[in-house]
């Protein structure tokens, strides 16, 4: 899986991710969030989180090669397994608590967050292994 966004989108994705977390809090503190627009604030926040996570995950690396493609692919596979375990856990917890609506809250965003974490971890791991092989 090749990166389709320029390398600068990775940093921009992290900035958008931080903004998507703190801007709604600031809006709430200044009284801009009320019952009438809470749904739109939540939807906007989720949309910005999705966009920023895809920007981070699909941004090209500075030294893009087959190893980077393999790491991105491996991150997707690992995160898919972790997401499956998480989703089954959420379903069991919701069934135990009697709240089945809880199971469909932001589960796709959790998957993309796990994807980004796995990719970042694997990229750092590959960089460290490469440094140790050179010495």
């Amino acid at each position: 899986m090749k990166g389709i966004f320029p390398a600068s989108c990775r940093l921009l994705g992290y900035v958008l991710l931080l903004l998507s977390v703190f801007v709604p809090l600031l809006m709430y503190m200044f009284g801009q969030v009320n019952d009438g627009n809470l749904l739109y604030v939540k939807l906007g926040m989720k949309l910005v989180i999705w966009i920023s996570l895809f920007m981070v995950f699909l941004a090209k690396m500075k030294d893009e090669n087959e190893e980077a493609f393999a790491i991105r692919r491996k991150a997707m596979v690992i995160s898919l397994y972790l997401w499956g375990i998480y989703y089954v856990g959420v379903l069991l917890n919701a069934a135990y608590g009697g709240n089945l609506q809880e199971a469909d809250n932001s589960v796709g965003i959790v998957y993309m967050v796990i994807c980004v974490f796995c990719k970042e971890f694997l990229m750092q791991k590959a960089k460290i292994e490469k440094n140790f092989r050179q010495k």
Side-chain angles (χ1 to χ4, degrees), residues 60-72:
K60 293 179 183 175
M61 305 303 290
K62 291 178 183 172
D63 53 349
E64 190 93 15
N65 54 20
E66 286 298 320
E67 183 182 8
F69 299 152
I71 289 173
R72 191 175 278 131

Side-chain angles (χ1 to χ4, degrees), residues 24-36:
L25 292 173
L26 290 173
M27 288 174 60
Y28 177 74
M29 286 174 28
F30 291 114
Q32 299 297 317
V33 178
N34 54 36
D35 289 340

Side-chain angles (χ1 to χ4, degrees), residues 27-133:
M27 288 174 60
Y28 177 74
M29 286 174 28
F30 291 114
Q32 299 297 317
V33 178
N34 54 36
D35 289 340
N37 66 356
L38 180 63
L39 177 65
Y40 299 115
V41 171
K42 284 177 66 175
L43 289 175
M45 190 171 112
K46 286 183 181 185
L47 181 66
V48 171
I49 289 172
W50 268 106
I51 291 170
S52 63
L53 289 172
F54 273 111
M55 287 173 73
V56 170
F57 190 74
L58 295 174
K60 293 179 183 175
M61 305 303 290
K62 291 178 183 172
D63 53 349
E64 190 93 15
N65 54 20
E66 286 298 320
E67 183 182 8
F69 299 152
I71 289 173
R72 191 175 278 131
R73 198 174 313 119
K74 187 176 180 181
M76 294 270 302
V77 169
I78 291 171
S79 61
L80 187 59
Y81 286 125
L82 290 175
W83 176 67
I85 292 168
Y86 168 80
Y87 190 62
V88 168
V90 167
L91 285 175
L92 291 174
N93 186 31
Y96 179 72
N99 183 8
L100 293 179
Q101 186 178 0
E102 180 182 322
D104 69 340
N105 286 342
S106 304
V107 79
I109 291 176
V110 171
Y111 169 69
M112 277 307 297
V113 167
I114 293 172
C115 269
V116 168
F117 283 154
C118 288
K119 180 181 153 263
E120 293 296 328
F121 171 76
L122 292 171
M123 293 300 281
Q124 294 301 322
K125 181 181 171 218
K127 190 185 299 183
I128 290 170
E129 287 176 350
K130 186 178 178 182
N131 286 342
F132 278 118
R133 279 190 230 133

